[in-house]
C-alpha cells in the first residue's frame, strides 16, 4: 500500500552548533576515520524497551536522536561527514512515529552523505581501508568492539588487493569529553532553562510537603513541574527522601510517609533538550527546622557558599573539594561530633563518617558529565564555560557515640554553577537559606 510520508517533527535542534563541533573535532583529529555509534536500545521487560536515550557524545556532534545510528567522518583536509541511520519505513512510522531515513537526515542534519544502517558491514571496511587510524569507542560497548574487530578483519582480508589496513584503533571519547567540558552559548542557555524549571519544581515540592503525605506524592509535584515545561524526563532517578532515608545517598524507593519533625532531602533535576540540571534541597516537612537540624543545615550551607566562593577561572577543581572538607570538618568539631584539631580530623578522615562523597562534578549532557578531572596527576584548572555542581552534605546515622538529637539528620545542598570570565554564575535560583525556606513554606 502506498502511504504519504509523515511531516518532519517540529522539534529539531538548531543544527549549527552540532555541525560546528563536528568540524572542530575533525580538524583536531586531522587524519584517519572517526566512527561513533549512538546508544543501544535496551529491553525493560517482555516486549517493552526502556525509553531510548541517545548517546550524549553522539548527540553533541550530530543533534540526531534516533536509535540505530552511526557517525562516520573521513578525516583529512576536506573531511567528509557521513551518517548511517534507519531507513524510512512508512509502515513502521504508523506505529512508532516519524523516522528521517538517510536522505532527509543528510539534508536536515547537514551531512555530506547518509546511508542505511543496514549497509554498515558493506561500507565501513571500505572507509577503513587506507585510513591509518580509526578513532572510535574502545571498551565501552562489547558489541561495538566486536563490530570494529569484524570490520578490521574484513579490511585485512583485502590487503593483497593493494589496500592498507588500519594500524591504530584509538578511543576518541576523551577528545569529545574535553570539548564537552566547555559549554557554548547555546548549551548555557538550555542549561539555564533546565535549572529554572528544576528550581521551580523544588520550590513547588517545598510548598506541597506536609506530614501525612508520601515521598511519591512530592515526587509527583516535581515531575509535573518538569513535564509541563517540556522537560519530559528527570535527568537521573529523583531522590525524594524523608527522615532517615535522607542518609541513604542514592535513595530511590520514594515510598515512605512524611512524619512531623522529619527533614526531607530532594535531589532532582530535569533533562531539557538533552541537558541535565542537578539540584538538591533539604527542608523540614512541617515547615520549621528543629534546633539540631538547623545547626547541621547551617554548617552545610556555610560549606556550600564557601565552595562557590572558591570557584573561579584558573583555580584547580580540587580546591573546592578541600574547602568543603575544611568547613564541614570544623562544623563537626563545633557540634562535638568529631574530636580533635581541624587538621587532625581532616588527616585522619574522621569527617568521612558524616561526609563520604565528593563536593561536585561536571554537569552537561550527562549528569556526571564527560571531561577530565586530573591531567598528569594534577587537578584540572577551571575555565569559563565549565559547569560544576557544588554539593556538600552531612549524613548522621544513629550510633552510640552520636547524641540522639542528631540521629537521622541528612542534609545536602546542591547548586549548578557556571564558570565565567569574571568568576561564576549560579544557574540555580531555588531558595536555600533556612529562613527563606521556612518563609516560603509558611506562605
Ligand atoms: N544527583 C546525582 C548527583 O548529585 O551526583
Ligand atoms: Mn544531585
Ligand atoms: Mn550532583
Amino acid at each position: 500500500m502506498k502511504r504519504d510520508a509523515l511531516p518532519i517533527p517540529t522539534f529539531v535542534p538548531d543544527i549549527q552548533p552540532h555541525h560546528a563541533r563536528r568540524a572542530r573535532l575533525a580538524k583536531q583529529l586531522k587524519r584517519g576515520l572517526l566512527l561513533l555509534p549512538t546508544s543501544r536500545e535496551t529491553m525493560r521487560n517482555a516486549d517493552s524497551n526502556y525509553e531510548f536515550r541517545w548517546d550524549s557524545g553522539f548527540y553533541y556532534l550530530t543533534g540526531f536522536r534516533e536509535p540505530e545510528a552511526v557517525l562516520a567522518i573521513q578525516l583529512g583536509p576536506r573531511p567528509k561527514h557521513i551518517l548511517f541511520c534507519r531507513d524510512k519505513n512508512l509502515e513502521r512510522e504508523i506505529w512508532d512515529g516519524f523516522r528521517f531515513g538517510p536522505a532527509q537526515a543528510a539534508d536536515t542534519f547537514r551531512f555530506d552523505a547518509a546511508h542505511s544502517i543496514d549497509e554498515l558491514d558493506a561500507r565501513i571496511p571500505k572507509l577503513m581501508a587506507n585510513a591509518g587510524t580509526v578513532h572510535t569507542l574502545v571498551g565501552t560497548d562489547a558489541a561495538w568492539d566486536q563490530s570494529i574487530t569484524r570490520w578490521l578483519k574484513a579490511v585485512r582480508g583485502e590487503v593483497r588487493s593493494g589496500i592498507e589496513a588500519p594500524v591504530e584503533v584509538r578511543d576518541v571519547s576523551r577528545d569529545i569529553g574535553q570539548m564537552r567540558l566547555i559549554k557554548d552559548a547555546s548549551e548555557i542557555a538550555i542549561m539555564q532553562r533546565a535549572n529554572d524549571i528544576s528550581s521551580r519544581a523544588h520550590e513547588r515540592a517545598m510548598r506541597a510537603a506536609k506530614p501525612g503525605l508520601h515521598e511519591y506524592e512530592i515526587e509527583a509535584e516535581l515531575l509535573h513541574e518538569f513535564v509541563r515545561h517540556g522537560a519530559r524526563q528527570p535527568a537521573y532517578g529523583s531522590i525524594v527522601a524523608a527522615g532517615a532515608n535522607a542518609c541513604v545517598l542514592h535513595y530511590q524507593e520514594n515510598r515512605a510517609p512524611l512524619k512531623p519533625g522529619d527533614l526531607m532531602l530532594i535531589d532532582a533535576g530535569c533533562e531539557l533538550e538533552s541537558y541535565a540540571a542537578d539540584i538538591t534541597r533539604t527542608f523540614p516537612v512541617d515547615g520549621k527546622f528543629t534546633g539540631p537540624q538547623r545547626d547541621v543545615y547551617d554548617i552545610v550551607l556555610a560549606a556550600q557558599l564557601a565552595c562557590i566562593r572558591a570557584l573561579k577561572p584558573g583555580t584547580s577543581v580540587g580546591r573546592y573539594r578541600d574547602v568543603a572538607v575544611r568547613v564541614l570538618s570544623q562544623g563537626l568539631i563545633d557540634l562535638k561530633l568529631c574530636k580533635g584539631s581541624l587538621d587532625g580530623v581532616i588527616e585522619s578522615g574522621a569527617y568521612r563518617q558524616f561526609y563520604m562523597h565528593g563536593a561536585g562534578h561536571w554537569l552537561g549532557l550527562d549528569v556526571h558529565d564527560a571531561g577530565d578531572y586530573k591531567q598528569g596527576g594534577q587537578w584540572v584548572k577551571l575555565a569559563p564555560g565549565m559547569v560544576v555542581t557544588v554539593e556538600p552534605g552531612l549524613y548522621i546515622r544513629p550510633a552510640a557515640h552520636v547524641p540522639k538529637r542528631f540521629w537521622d539528620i541528612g542534609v545536602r545542598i546542591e547548586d549548578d554553577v557556571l564558570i565565567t570570565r569574571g568568576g561564576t554564575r549560579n544557574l540555580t535560583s531555588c531558595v536555600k537559606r533556612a529562613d527563606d525556606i521556612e518563609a516560603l513554606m509558611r506562605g
Side-chain angles (χ1 to χ4, degrees):
M1 188 175 20
K2 173 109 180 59
R3 297 194 187 281
D4 290 337
L6 298 176
I8 293 182
T10 47
F11 177 66
V12 172
D14 175 12
I15 296 309
Q16 164 53 28
H18 301 270
H19 189 263
R21 290 168 200 150
R22 257 192 345 253
R24 195 146 57 86
L25 179 64
K27 198 165 170 192
Q28 190 182 309
L29 295 176
K30 292 195 183 79
R31 278 177 290 280
L33 175 70
L34 170 96
L35 282 179
L36 191 71
T38 194
S39 330
R40 216 169 270 292
E41 287 191 283
T42 313
M43 187 186 284
R44 182 175 187 276
N45 59 317
D47 59 354
S48 300
N49 282 344
Y50 284 103
E51 176 148 350
F52 176 69
R53 172 53 159 76
W54 41 93
D55 175 75
S56 294
F58 177 88
Y59 177 81
Y60 182 75
L61 296 170
T62 63
F64 194 69
R65 299 184 305 162
E66 288 185 21
E68 298 185 77
V70 172
L71 165 67
I73 307 180
Q74 286 182 285
L75 301 160
R78 296 165 62 99
K80 185 173 176 192
H81 298 224
I82 305 167
L83 180 72
F84 291 86
C85 65
R86 300 182 302 188
D87 286 312
K88 287 288 297 171
N89 182 334
L90 300 184
E91 195 60 40
R92 278 315 319 160
E93 287 176 57
I94 289 172
W95 293 87
D96 302 331
F98 178 83
R99 41 175 92 173
F100 276 92
Q104 253 177 331
D107 195 36
T108 308
F109 295 87
R110 297 180 54 189
F111 285 93
D112 301 310
H115 306 289
S116 166
I117 192 78
D118 297 334
E119 295 180 27
L120 282 178
D121 281 348
R123 289 184 179 268
I124 298 289
K126 292 197 176 82
L127 294 175
M128 278 184 172
N130 304 320
T133 301
V134 178
H135 310 265
T136 187
L137 298 186
V138 177
T140 301
D141 178 83
W144 179 255
D145 290 344
Q146 277 181 355
S147 298
I148 294 287
T149 303
R150 191 173 67 249
W151 296 325
L152 283 172
K153 277 189 179 156
V155 197
R156 288 171 187 154
E158 296 290 325
V159 290
R160 282 178 300 281
S161 71
I163 59 158
E164 293 177 36
V167 290
E168 185 186 23
V169 177
R170 66 178 289 276
D171 190 58
V172 76
S173 16
R174 182 167 177 275
D175 301 283
I176 301 170
Q178 290 304 96
M179 286 176 70
R180 285 171 55 188
L181 204 41
I182 307 291
K183 274 69 182 175
D184 62 33
S186 68
E187 296 179 287
I188 291 165
I190 299 169
M191 291 184 76
Q192 180 63 71
R193 173 132 179 90
N195 246 275
D196 290 345
I197 295 168
S198 305
S199 290
R200 282 177 69 130
H202 275 268
E203 291 190 355
R204 179 167 158 179
M206 288 175 192
R207 284 195 197 93
K210 56 175 190 251
L213 295 180
H214 292 80
E215 291 164 342
Y216 51 76
E217 292 174 88
I218 306 306
E219 184 180 18
E221 300 284 337
L222 296 160
L223 293 178
H224 186 257
E225 198 63 22
F226 294 169
V227 178
R228 81 189 197 91
H229 287 100
R232 286 204 38 248
Q233 305 286 347
Y236 53 91
S238 305
I239 297 168
V240 184
N245 298 332
C247 295
V248 181
L249 296 180
H250 289 163
Y251 180 74
Q252 300 270 295
E253 273 300 286
N254 299 359
R255 283 174 196 284
L258 277 49
K259 298 191 295 300
D262 276 353
L263 272 188
M264 173 153 232
L265 183 155
I266 297 182
D267 183 344
C270 71
E271 180 175 291
L272 182 77
E273 293 174 34
S274 305
Y275 284 84
D278 183 9
I279 300 176
T280 307
R281 287 294 183 267
T282 309
F283 58 89
V285 158
D286 45 21
K288 183 95 187 101
F289 287 90
T290 65
Q293 287 171 350
R294 175 81 190 234
D295 289 343
V296 176
Y297 188 89
D298 283 345
I299 290 166
V300 176
L301 181 60
Q304 210 247 6
L305 294 172
C307 285
I308 295 175
R309 282 197 300 275
L311 297 172
K312 57 172 178 277
T315 55
S316 99
V317 69
R319 193 172 130 62
Y320 85 108
R321 294 159 183 258
D322 296 340
V323 169
V325 167
R326 268 200 112 63
V327 179
L328 294 173
S329 296
Q330 183 59 56
L332 290 166
I333 293 167
D334 295 344
L335 293 180
K336 302 194 170 37
L337 290 170
C338 284
K339 289 186 183 52
S341 69
L342 178 55
D343 288 339
V345 166
I346 294 171
E347 261 159 48
S348 69
Y351 67 87
R352 287 207 193 101
Q353 185 191 344
F354 306 108
Y355 174 54
M356 58 298 275
H357 58 73
H361 49 85
W362 307 129
L363 182 74
L365 286 162
D366 293 316
V367 65
H368 297 155
D369 208 35
D372 288 346
Y373 290 90
K374 275 196 172 177
Q375 282 171 359
Q378 299 294 315
W379 290 107
V380 164
K381 286 201 179 354
L382 295 171
M386 293 178 172
V387 179
V388 289
T389 68
V390 183
E391 50 178 308
L394 288 174
Y395 314 89
I396 310 176
R397 288 171 172 270
H401 62 282
V402 172
K404 219 169 175 173
R405 63 182 185 282
F406 292 116
W407 286 12
D408 295 330
I409 293 179
V411 175
R412 180 164 64 257
I413 306 172
E414 178 175 25
D415 287 349
D416 303 339
V417 178
L418 168 71
I419 311 300
T420 61
R421 252 191 275 177
T424 55
R425 184 171 114 204
N426 194 334
L427 303 178
T428 308
S429 57
C430 181
V431 290
K432 70 178 171 186
R433 285 180 51 239
D435 288 344
D436 294 340
I437 290 174
E438 288 181 350
L440 179 100
M441 293 183 75
R442 267 198 308 276

